[in-house]
DNA sequence: GACATATCTAAAGCC
DNA sequence: TAGATATGTC
């Protein structure tokens, strides 16, 4: 296989090491996908392994698709190979074996919106007047549990019985019951239940163990406990497991990723071989060094340092803007300046910390007529109208889907309010039938007001007729039929507002999605279609060919690369966010995110911050990000640092505050001692404090004034805490540099 | 039941 | 600020 000679020695070593456990520590841009695809190709063409015996799991559909394409390009077709996301792989297992757990074969998959709707009902039912118990809170606890494979009972045992845990236990139990009743699984269930199948049915486990003699896992640093178990069980028999990951890019701990999985792979799998890919093929030397100077501040990481044979390239640029509009203006201006004829707009990416930041950039880009595309934020499939129509289609597939029915029972308006719904629900519960069946009862429907009963009959009629003859219709026919016959489209058209127009456009877009599927798959049945869209995500929609500047969060940018990258909002409190200061691990995760963001850039990298930023309606002075202070300043272009005239009110600049030393907020005491000599303590009335002033508190140490109000002064302390203190009462003294 | 107004709250988002 | 939700009014 001559292609193997395209790999560097380490990559080749990893690709050729096929028997036994293998950990590939692949730094950013080190050609890990190439290595993995070559490894698969090598297994098939040289070692004679059947594609049928290979399993490769990824986190996103996009990653899976890319890997599949590249393998197929190498070997020309790859039949029977599973290159899937974790969830899709588990779904396949469950479609075959879910009966074992008491599910029907055609169970549905609930996405987060469905989960929330389901949980909302439960919370309402439980009559919790307490504000602390929101659906979102319960769901996050439940998700946590499922990731650790704790059922409600085990949850209670693990966390002990008190008022709070009992309530959670109730909610969890009710939630599980509801899902089971609706023959539904949420995303977490897909993983959990697949593992349950393996635990319960030895024969099934053996079947997959025998089948998947070679297993590969991408982005291993982001696996959670249950994913780990899934992989471990499958690999137990043949131990031919190869995981690829980079502990420096673990940015999903907040949703359960367990970094220990990668840190302890060598203990988990005996005689594991470790290969490090440390040559970076993506970024210039300057960008790489800069990223390294930041990530090097993390304590818990495997020792490694990326290198490149590329030239140094441009230095990084840094711009401190007056405010967020100025920041966006600068970015747009830079894009205009560098967008020469040999460059495309899609060579530029703006990667921010929070979705809320996108708006100012959209405005600034529009002003210069620069085409752009925003990814993330509101997922396309989360839009109201799209959810509505999907609910209709789900009802066609399964009329017993109460949740879907609830969503659209009064959409378009049929004169069914909360009261009527409640009555129907009680009725259905008493008779132990589904809501839809309740709506088919003529006596019930006739008792409703004329408008409502007419609307209901029409709706149930449409759904029933398509439901009975699903096989005779194409998905697009069903879609069109629903829009027209339920009056959904008409209602939108009659609204005649800009908003309704947008919704109609989205519905058209959805139709073209359906057409696309039908083109690829002539006899795509409704259930197949529903399945595919259930596991779809927004980043999967990223189209490299579209000539537009890309705007997205740093999180979604993982795995992508761009010649020119902007990282805006480099301010303490925004990036890293305040929450990160609560625990050291939080800050380290933010730092990894910063590393991910920086290493997306191939040629040039801009960092920007705003001196004043309006966030959540409050306008405040900001302090430059800790990550800027950690950055090796020799790599930042001096000319690009546009010095602003700063009044005494302004926050300290890049060099002014922390000095040359990287600041670790957890060393605050030490810092106070070291720095105290330079600073003079002054007792001045607190009301004379201004944002940006350095202050000292006997208990919290040194901090900076963020905001001064009538009675309250807000201070960010160097130990990471953020306090609101009473003016005139708090023992706060001012620190000044002479 | 539908619509208007007041109140509240705020990260990131793979599948 | 803005969006989502709770409350009030016709």
């Amino acid at each position: 296989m001559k292609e193997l000679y395209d790999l560097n020695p380490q990559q080749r070593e990893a690709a050729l090491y096929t028997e036994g456990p293998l950990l590939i520590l692949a730094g950013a841009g080190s050609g890990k996908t190439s290595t993995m695809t070559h490894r698969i190709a090598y297994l098939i063409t040289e070692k004679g392994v059947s594609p049928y015996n290979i399993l490769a799991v990824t986190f996103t559909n996009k990653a899976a698709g890319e890997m599949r394409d590249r393998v197929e390009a190498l070997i020309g077709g790859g039949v029977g190979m599973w290159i899937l996301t974790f969830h899709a792989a588990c779904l396949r297992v469950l479609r075959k074996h879910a009966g074992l757990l008491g599910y029907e074969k055609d169970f549905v998959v609930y996405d987060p919106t469905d989960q929330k709707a389901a949980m909302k009902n439960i919370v309402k039912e439980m009559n919790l007047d307490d504000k602390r118990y929101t659906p979102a809170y319960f769901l996050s606890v439940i998700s946590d549990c499922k990731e650790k494979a704790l059922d409600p009972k085990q949850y209670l045992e693990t966390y002990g019985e008190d008022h709070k845990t009992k309530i959670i236990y109730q909610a969890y139990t009710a939630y599980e019951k509801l899902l089971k009743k609706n023959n539904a699984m949420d995303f977490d269930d897909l993983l959990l239940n697949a593992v349950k199948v393996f635990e319960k049915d030895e024969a099934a486990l053996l079947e997959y163990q025998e089948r998947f003699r070679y297993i590969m896992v991408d982005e291993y640093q982001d696996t959670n406990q249950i994913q780990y178990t899934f992989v471990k069980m499958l690999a137990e028999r043949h131990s031919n497991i190869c995981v690829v990951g980079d502990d420096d890019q673990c940015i999903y701990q907040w949703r359960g990723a367990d970094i220990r999985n990668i840190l302890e792979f060598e203990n988990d799998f005996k005689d594991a071989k470790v290969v490090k890919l440390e040559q970076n093929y993506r970024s210039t030397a300057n960008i790489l060094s800069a990223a390294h100077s930041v990530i090097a501040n993390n304590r818990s990481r495997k020792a490694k340092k990326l290198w490149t044979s590329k030239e140094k390239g441009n230095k990084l640029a840094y711009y401190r803007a007056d405010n967020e509009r100025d920041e966006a203006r600068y970015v747009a201006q830079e894009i205009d300046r560098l967008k020469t004829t040999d460059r495309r707009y899609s060579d530029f990416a703006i990667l921010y910390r929070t979705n809320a930041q996108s708006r100012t950039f959209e405005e600034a880009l529009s002003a210069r007529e620069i085409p752009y595309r925003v990814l993330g934020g509101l997922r396309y499939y989360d839009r109201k109208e799209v959810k509505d129509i999907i609910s209709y289609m789900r009802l066609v597939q399964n009329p017993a889907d109460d949740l879907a029915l609830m969503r659209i029972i009064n959409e378009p308006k049929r004169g069914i309010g909360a009261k009527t719904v409640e009555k129907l629900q009680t009725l259905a519960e008493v008779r132990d039938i589904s809501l839809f069946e309740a709506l088919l009862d003529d006596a019930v429907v006739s008792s409703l007001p004329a408008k409502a009963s007419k609307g209901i009959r029409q709706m149930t009629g449409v759904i029933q007729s398509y439901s009975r003859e699903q096989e005779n219709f194409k998905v697009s026919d069903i879609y069109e039929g629903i829009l027209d016959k339920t009056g959904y489209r008409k209602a939108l058209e009659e609204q005649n507002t800009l908003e309704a127009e947008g919704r109609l456009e989205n519905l058209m877009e959805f139709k073209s999605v359906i057409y696309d599927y039908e083109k690829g798959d002539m006899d795509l049945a409704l259930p197949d279609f529903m399945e595919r869209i259930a596991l779809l995500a927004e980043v999967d929609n990223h189209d490299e060919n579209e000539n537009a500047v890309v705007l997205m969060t740093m999180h979604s940018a993982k795995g992508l690369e761009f010649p020119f990258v902007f990282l805006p909002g480099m301010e303490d409190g925004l990036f890293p966010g305040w929450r990160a200061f609560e625990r050291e691990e939080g800050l380290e995760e933010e730092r990894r995110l910063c590393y991910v963001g920086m290493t997306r850039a191939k040629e040039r990298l801009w960092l920007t911050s705003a001196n004043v930023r309006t966030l959540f309606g409050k306008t405040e002075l900001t302090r430059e990000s800790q990550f800027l202070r950690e950055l090796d300043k020799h790599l930042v272009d001096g000319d690009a640092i546009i010095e602003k005239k700063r009044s005494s009110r302004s926050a300290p600049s890049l060099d002014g505050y922390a000095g040359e030393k990287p600041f670790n907020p957890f060393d605050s005491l030490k810092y106070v001692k070291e720095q105290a000599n330079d600073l003079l303590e002054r007792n001045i009335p607190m009301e004379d404090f201004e944002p940006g002033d350095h202050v000292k508190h006997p208990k919290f140490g040194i901090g900076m004034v963020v905001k001064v109000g009538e009675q309250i002064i807000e201070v960010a302390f160097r130990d990471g805490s953020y306090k609101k203190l009473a003016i005139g009462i708090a023992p706060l003294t001012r620190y000044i540099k002479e």
Side-chain angles (χ1 to χ4, degrees):
Chain A
M1 219 178 105
K2 65 174 178 2
E3 288 91 351
L4 283 174
Y5 294 100
D6 297 341
L7 300 178
N8 71 31
Q10 292 75 33
Q11 291 174 333
R12 201 175 315 138
E13 186 183 10
L16 299 184
Y17 190 90
T18 58
E19 310 303 309
L22 169 68
L23 166 62
I24 306 177
L25 285 172
S30 62
K32 103 193 146 159
T33 311
S34 212
T35 307
M36 286 179 87
T37 49
H38 278 88
R39 193 168 184 277
I40 295 174
Y42 173 72
L43 276 171
I44 295 170
T45 56
E46 302 293 312
K47 303 272 287 190
V49 174
S50 159
Y52 178 84
N53 292 124
I54 296 174
L55 168 70
V57 273
T58 63
F59 274 82
T60 66
N61 291 303
K62 190 174 159 49
E66 194 179 320
M67 200 185 289
R68 195 176 305 120
D69 290 346
R70 286 174 67 170
V71 170
E72 281 173 10
L74 281 176
I75 63 169
V79 202
M81 197 168 15
W82 277 29
I83 302 186
L84 297 169
T85 63
F86 269 104
H87 295 265
C90 291
L91 188 58
R92 280 207 191 169
V93 172
L94 289 168
R95 281 288 172 225
K96 210 168 156 193
H97 298 282
L100 198 73
L101 306 171
Y103 283 90
E104 307 283 329
K105 281 266 186 313
D106 59 346
F107 63 86
V108 293
V109 179
Y110 275 5
D111 72 8
T113 322
D114 302 319
Q115 289 178 274
K116 217 172 148 202
M119 191 43 95
K120 240 169 148 177
N121 286 338
I122 290 166
V123 172
K124 213 155 103 205
E125 205 114 303
M126 284 171 67
N127 258 332
L128 296 167
D129 41 12
D130 201 324
K131 277 217 156 50
R132 287 177 313 183
Y133 298 111
T134 61
Y137 173 67
F138 284 130
L139 286 173
S140 82
V141 176
I142 291 174
S143 181
D144 253 24
C145 285
K146 290 188 176 177
E147 265 155 20
K148 299 192 183 102
L150 298 174
D151 66 20
K153 236 192 202 142
Q154 290 165 318
Y155 162 78
L156 211 52
E157 283 160 16
T158 311
Y159 291 92
E161 269 187 53
D162 60 38
H163 180 67
K164 195 175 106 187
T165 54
K166 270 189 201 154
I167 290 178
I168 292 171
Y169 168 81
Q170 276 175 28
Y172 190 1
T173 314
Y175 177 75
E176 289 297 282
K177 207 174 129 199
L178 191 122
L179 255 64
K180 204 71 175 265
K181 188 181 139 225
N182 287 336
N183 197 26
M185 297 190 198
D186 61 25
F187 284 147
D188 294 321
D189 284 331
L190 294 179
L191 294 157
L192 183 58
N193 287 335
V195 168
K196 276 191 191 159
V197 165
F198 291 161
E199 281 169 351
K200 254 191 168 165
D201 185 350
E202 231 171 277
L205 175 59
L206 192 64
E207 173 194 336
Y208 290 103
Q209 283 178 334
E210 276 306 324
R211 169 162 184 181
F212 298 122
R213 290 178 41 216
Y214 294 90
I215 297 172
M216 265 172 258
V217 186
D218 192 15
E219 307 276 15
Y220 191 67
Q221 76 280 357
D222 284 330
T223 48
N224 62 31
Q225 218 170 302
I226 195 80
Q227 286 161 335
Y228 167 81
T229 312
F230 177 77
V231 169
K232 173 122 187 167
M233 288 182 98
L234 281 178
E236 212 123 56
R237 200 160 184 85
H238 292 285
S239 280
N240 296 325
I241 174 164
C242 161
V243 304
V244 189
D246 178 3
D247 52 313
D248 284 337
Q249 292 188 65
C250 175
I251 53 174
Y252 284 114
Q253 268 180 306
W254 51 273
R255 65 173 194 219
D258 194 339
I259 197 164
R260 283 176 310 185
N261 286 348
I262 191 159
L263 295 178
E264 286 176 20
F265 181 84
E266 293 156 79
N267 298 333
D268 289 338
F269 295 91
K270 267 180 110 182
D271 305 319
K273 170 151 181 96
V274 180
V275 177
K276 288 186 187 178
L277 304 183
E278 294 181 297
Q279 183 174 3
N280 173 295
Y281 295 94
R282 180 188 293 151
S283 311
T284 63
N286 276 339
I287 291 171
L288 210 57
S289 307
H292 184 260
S293 70
V294 174
I295 196 69
N297 291 283
N298 268 7
R299 289 177 190 180
S300 56
R301 61 188 290 263
K302 292 206 172 219
K304 64 178 129 12
K305 184 163 183 182
L306 289 180
W307 62 276
T308 178
S309 59
K310 286 198 182 208
E311 54 187 19
K312 283 193 165 178
N314 285 301
K315 286 191 174 182
L316 278 65
Y318 173 69
Y319 177 71
R320 178 130 178 107
D322 292 332
N323 52 46
E324 68 269 21
R325 282 179 313 283
D326 181 43
E327 179 183 48
R329 196 217 84 246
Y330 167 78
V331 170
Q333 176 191 313
E334 285 289 274
I335 293 175
D336 245 353
R337 184 170 73 83
L338 285 152
K339 164 72 180 72
T340 44
T341 42
D342 56 332
R343 294 293 184 178
R344 313 185 73 229
Y345 282 116
S346 49
D347 290 339
F348 297 85
I350 304 173
L351 311 177
Y352 33 75
R353 175 67 239 264
T354 68
N355 279 125
Q357 285 165 262
S358 74
R359 228 198 59 216
T360 37
F361 290 101
E362 290 184 58
E363 284 163 7
L365 293 169
S366 298
R368 284 185 175 260
E369 296 183 337
I370 298 171
Y372 66 87
R373 177 142 162 77
V374 186
L375 285 131
L378 232 204
R379 271 175 65 207
Y380 174 71
Y381 293 98
D382 283 341
R383 306 228 172 100
K384 185 182 179 310
E385 56 280 8
V386 178
K387 292 272 354 169
D388 284 346
I389 196 71
I390 288 177
S391 290
Y392 271 108
M393 292 164 83
R394 261 168 51 178
L395 274 172
V396 169
Q397 193 191 341
N398 171 24
D401 191 336
D402 288 353
L403 221 58
L405 180 59
M406 287 280 285
R407 200 188 157 87
I408 52 87
I409 195 162
N410 200 28
E411 203 66 56
K413 299 272 176 286
R414 301 189 173 91
I416 315 272
K419 275 274 155 56
T420 316
V421 171
E422 216 166 284
K423 267 191 256 170
L424 288 166
Q425 274 181 318
T426 336
L427 182 93
E429 206 165 313
V430 170
R431 293 201 200 159
D432 198 24
I433 55 174
S434 70
L435 265 183
F436 191 81
E437 285 172 289
L439 290 181
L440 291 176
D441 188 318
D442 206 53
V444 174
V445 178
S446 302
S447 70
L448 298 171
K451 191 185 162 204
S453 58
K454 188 172 161 243
I456 293 266
R457 288 209 176 94
Q458 190 188 13
M459 186 253 297
T460 50
V462 175
I463 288 169
Q464 266 194 311
S465 63
Y466 281 123
S467 190
R468 285 195 191 117
E469 297 187 69
Q470 261 182 63
E471 297 79 17
N472 300 333
F473 288 99
K474 288 201 294 188
V475 179
S476 53
D477 292 337
I478 298 176
Y479 174 81
E480 281 293 317
I482 290 169
L483 275 185
D484 286 332
K485 290 180 191 165
T486 60
Y488 194 95
R489 177 179 286 156
K490 202 165 143 236
L492 274 179
E493 281 165 355
E494 280 167 0
Q495 272 183 32
N496 222 355
T497 60
L498 222 66
E499 195 199 350
E501 220 169 279
R503 294 190 191 282
L504 284 166
E505 261 169 43
N506 286 333
L507 287 174
M508 290 298 289
E509 203 179 320
F510 190 51
K511 196 176 157 187
S512 65
V513 171
I514 300 177
Y515 277 142
D516 280 350
Y517 272 112
E518 285 177 344
K519 244 188 287 166
D521 219 331
M522 282 313 278
D523 43 55
L524 182 77
L526 186 63
D528 300 326
F529 176 75
M530 301 302 283
E531 193 122 290
R532 290 198 203 179
I533 60 173
L535 297 181
L536 224 62
E538 180 75 18
V539 252
D540 298 332
N541 281 337
H542 174 52
D543 178 3
E544 290 94 15
N545 299 318
E546 189 181 344
N547 190 19
V549 175
V550 182
L551 280 71
M552 63 175 126
T553 62
M554 286 178 245
H555 279 95
S556 344
K558 191 168 74 164
L560 305 176
E561 58 178 33
F562 305 89
F564 305 119
V565 169
F566 295 86
L567 301 181
M570 300 295 296
E571 297 143 32
D572 277 348
L574 183 63
F575 187 38
W578 284 121
R579 284 174 160 88
F581 288 101
E582 282 161 18
R583 295 175 312 137
E584 178 147 13
E585 304 89 70
L587 188 63
E588 296 217 338
E589 176 145 328
E590 293 279 303
R591 199 178 276 115
R592 289 194 291 270
L593 183 60
C594 183
Y595 177 75
V596 168
M598 292 174 84
T599 51
R600 296 311 97 194
K602 291 162 86 166
E603 294 174 41
R604 298 192 61 168
L605 177 60
W606 288 259
L607 306 169
T608 63
S609 69
N611 190 40
V612 169
R613 180 176 300 272
T614 307
L615 212 61
F616 301 136
K618 272 195 215 154
T619 305
E620 280 167 11
L621 275 168
T622 68
R623 185 175 71 178
E624 283 164 321
S625 168
Q626 166 166 357
F627 302 146
L628 285 173
R629 298 196 287 279
E630 291 169 356
L631 193 66
D632 182 349
K633 286 167 202 68
H634 305 294
L635 302 169
V636 181
D637 197 337
D639 298 336
I641 300 181
I642 300 177
E643 277 299 328
K644 294 273 165 193
K645 274 178 286 166
R646 288 196 175 83
S647 70
S648 60
R649 295 184 72 94
S650 100
S653 72
L654 187 56
D655 305 304
Y657 193 39
E660 295 305 315
K661 214 166 34 142
F663 161 59
N664 179 342
F666 303 95
D667 291 342
S668 64
L669 278 177
K670 208 169 81 200
Y671 179 86
V672 171
K673 275 185 201 149
E674 281 171 15
Q675 300 293 313
N677 298 334
D678 306 348
L679 298 167
L680 297 173
E681 199 171 337
R682 288 285 164 84
N683 274 313
I684 64 161
M686 273 172 85
E687 47 271 32
D688 288 351
F689 285 0
E690 291 182 338
D693 284 347
H694 299 148
V695 293
K696 186 184 156 195
H697 187 283
K699 196 160 152 219
F700 310 127
I702 287 190
M704 190 172 76
V705 175
V706 176
K707 205 184 162 193
V708 183
E710 291 271 292
Q711 277 131 39
I712 299 288
I713 183 166
E714 294 176 29
V715 183
F717 286 101
R718 312 221 68 184
D719 65 357
S721 62
Y722 188 88
K723 298 271 184 319
K724 293 183 180 178
L725 303 164
I727 287 181
I729 296 171
L732 212 57
T733 47
R734 183 162 169 207
Y735 256 33
I736 49 166
K737 256 189 178 170
E738 295 280 277

